[in-house]
Amino acid sequence: MAGKRRAGRRPGHQPTRELILAAAREAFARRGYDATSVREIAAAADVDPALVHHYFGTKEKLFLETVSIPFDPRQYIHLVVEGPREELAERLLTTALGVWDSPSGLAAGALLRGSLTHQTGSELLREFLLKRALEPLCGAIEPDPVLAKWRMNLVATQLMGLAMMRYVLAMEPLASASPEQIVDAIGPNLQRYLTGDLHGA
Amino acid sequence: MAGKRRAGRRPGHQPTRELILAAAREAFARRGYDATSVREIAAAADVDPALVHHYFGTKEKLFLETVSIPFDPRQYIHLVVEGPREELAERLLTTALGVWDSPSGLAAGALLRGSLTHQTGSELLREFLLKRALEPLCGAIEPDPVLAKWRMNLVATQLMGLAMMRYVLAMEPLASASPEQIVDAIGPNLQRYLTGDLHGA
């Protein structure tokens, strides 16, 4: 994965592209997917709307790009998978919290909220969680494909619920808890979903 | 209340109140809290907007009333608390799924989505979860108040994540799983949050 090159991306164009992405991320986070137009994003980035379409295609693709930046999970999967199997959940939680709590993850709560306000947003979020984050992860640690799907769904319930409570609803004590406290409290549960006995599932 | 004769509160008016509630529930579920006006709800229920204010006060109070109907948890708390302690999670999950999967809980996913589209909605949801659902439950099973708050937060992450994945994002296999499968898969995790060792927390 490290050797994979992204095509069609000359270095000189990076700043404009990043400018549009930053404007889009802020707009989607503040007003939600549905209420944000490509025209507004272009205005905020001080570029022509045609340039937004040139770089990103549709609004949907632009949105997917903005949610994939703060959490782009593919680069983190090896951080989670490599190491002792019984510490998988600890590594997954530490990695997820590291991204979510970082400056680039600050918009995570707002984006999560925004992506739920519209059917398209929900579908994108589901696709993102399935195809880009949890499917590769669970596929890497569970050889049985049926069980891997169950594990993926269960891991998703726990991580989604954690993100909702800590960032969107900001419920205490979870919102102010340290990553170590969260690993202590939630780690063993997540570990069961990743590698434990799921009974009938 | 039945004996007191106040303006517009005769027993014959009870159906009007229910009519307004049903219209409000449908409108909030379909369009979200923010995009729904009292005027529209009144129109859908074929009553004067003043009557909506008369019965429910503010839009916030009306919204809280609509979300409290499908899941009003206080009547279910004894169903969960009474019985063997080691089966608490099983009873909690079975009860929650029973409400969510029932006709009166059908709007749950839409309401959950709707309540996240606006700050007021998020605050109402948090208040609802804290004060009416999880605080009484965890208070009843955990005497240490600090630990009770942690348990409440952790139970909230799991139940919120389950509701999000099963109803809002409709992720498979979770969306089509039977309550028994969900109890098998999630029950042991929820039981740890309710009564288990939470390490440092």
Side-chain angles (χ1 to χ4, degrees), chain A residues 113 122 126 169 185 192-193, chain B residues 113 122 126 169 185 192:
Chain A
R113 185 200 305 265
S122 297
R126 187 174 50 203
L169 296 187
R192 177 172 171 271
Y193 286 158
Chain B
R113 185 200 305 264
S122 297
R126 187 174 50 201
L169 296 188
R192 175 171 172 272

Side-chain angles (χ1 to χ4, degrees), chain A residues 33 52 150 162:
Chain A
Y33 176 82
V52 178
W150 260 100
L162 170 59

Side-chain angles (χ1 to χ4, degrees), chain A residues 5-18 55:
Chain A
R5 281 252 189 273
R6 294 188 192 177
R9 187 88 68 77
R10 280 175 299 161
H13 281 192
Q14 199 66 8
T16 304
R17 194 179 181 280
E18 291 308 314
Y55 280 116

Side-chain angles (χ1 to χ4, degrees), chain A residues 169-185:
Chain A
L169 296 187
M171 206 178 254
E172 294 293 351
L174 207 56
S176 308
S178 70
E180 293 73 25
Q181 285 178 299
I182 292 175
V183 166
D184 280 348

Side-chain angles (χ1 to χ4, degrees), chain B residues 34-178:
Chain B
D34 212 30
T36 302
S37 70
V38 166
R39 188 171 297 272
E40 286 167 344
I41 292 168
D46 203 18
V47 301
D48 192 276
L51 215 55
V52 178
H53 289 292
H54 170 74
Y55 279 117
F56 297 98
T58 62
K59 182 171 121 175
E60 277 86 353
K61 285 183 183 161
L62 173 57
F63 176 77
L64 194 59
E65 199 77 18
T66 67
V67 292
S68 74
I69 294 293
F71 331 87
D72 184 5
R74 290 163 300 181
Q75 63 187 111
Y76 298 105
I77 283 176
H78 76 273
L79 288 177
V80 176
V81 173
E82 283 163 22
R85 192 172 168 84
E86 67 274 16
E87 291 164 12
L88 267 170
E90 184 180 335
R91 291 195 300 276
L92 176 54
L93 273 174
T94 306
T95 304
L97 289 168
V99 176
W100 294 343
D101 289 340
S102 73
S104 72
L106 271 185
L111 273 173
L112 182 57
R113 185 200 305 264
S115 68
L116 297 176
T117 62
H118 192 258
Q119 191 59 28
T120 310
S122 297
E123 277 159 20
L124 286 171
L125 183 61
R126 187 174 50 201
E127 278 302 294
F128 169 76
L129 283 170
L130 280 173
K131 300 294 172 205
R132 302 180 71 172
L134 296 174
E135 210 167 83
L137 177 67
C138 291
I141 62 178
E142 173 56 62
D144 176 341
V146 174
L147 202 51
K149 271 212 153 179
W150 262 100
R151 293 196 189 285
M152 182 180 70
N153 273 217
L154 295 169
V155 168
T157 67
Q158 182 58 83
L159 292 184
M160 171 66 82
L162 170 60
M164 290 282 300
M165 288 299 149
R166 183 169 164 92
Y167 302 101
V168 178
L169 296 188
M171 206 178 253
E172 294 292 353
L174 208 57
S176 308
S178 69

